[in-house]
Amino acid sequence: MVVQTQSNSDVFQRIWELYAAGRGPEILEHLDPAVEWRPVLVEPASYHGHDGVRTWATAARGAWKSVTVVLEELSEVDGCVVATGRLAASDHRGEPVVDSVLSCVAEFRHERIVRACSFFSADDALAWVSARPALP
């Protein structure tokens, strides 16, 4: 039996597509159970594990009625996937509250994200990649 593996970029692109489609629970299948999740939007903090990601996702749903994310660039840099795109979100009254570049960095182990961070610029994301601490 041949086990086919996906590239980290393929996994990341799938997660981005799931997020864009509002299929958040399916994202957890691609995250390490001990993932470190550091969003730059909606309650920025360091969240840990699937429960932490769920906590952040609940805050995002409470803040935004609709979200549009567009992936513009995806690359692998120093063992990380770096993605840049655009995120636009509206509040529950339909008023635009976010329209911004969003850059995300993901580190993988065994085809699952173990650490993910987001930034408002690709330069900040790349700087984080260069300075990041080693994974445990």
Side-chain angles (χ1 to χ4, degrees):
M1 175 181 197
V2 175
V3 176
Q4 202 170 27
T5 60
Q6 296 181 34
S7 74
N8 291 342
S9 291
D10 291 340
V11 173
F12 186 91
Q13 189 159 0
R14 177 70 180 142
I15 292 168
W16 189 285
E17 291 166 359
L18 289 169
Y19 183 78
R23 295 168 52 191
E26 292 175 59
I27 291 171
L28 297 177
E29 297 171 17
H30 303 285
L31 305 181
D32 186 88
V35 66
E36 179 183 352
W37 188 265
R38 298 172 130 194
V40 70
L41 292 165
V42 184
E43 306 292 331
S46 185
Y47 297 88
H48 298 275
H50 289 181
D51 286 342
V53 173
R54 284 186 195 100
T55 297
W56 174 81
T58 297
R61 281 191 304 274
W64 299 335
K65 179 180 180 182
S66 67
V67 177
T68 301
V69 292
V70 177
L71 180 62
E72 296 172 352
E73 186 177 335
L74 187 70
S75 60
E76 294 201 31
V77 178
D78 194 21
C80 296
V81 172
V82 179
T84 301
R86 187 137 202 106
L87 183 137
S90 298
D91 65 16
H92 290 277
R93 296 182 317 258
E95 298 294 321
V97 292
V98 177
D99 186 2
S100 177
V101 168
L102 182 68
S103 290
C104 302
V105 177
E107 289 182 275
F108 289 79
R109 184 180 296 132
H110 308 297
E111 297 183 18
R112 290 187 175 193
I113 292 179
V114 293
R115 183 164 44 197
C117 302
S118 60
F119 305 88
F120 288 120
S121 78
D123 288 344
D124 289 346
L126 292 171
W128 184 87
V129 168
S130 296
R132 76 189 186 279
L135 286 171

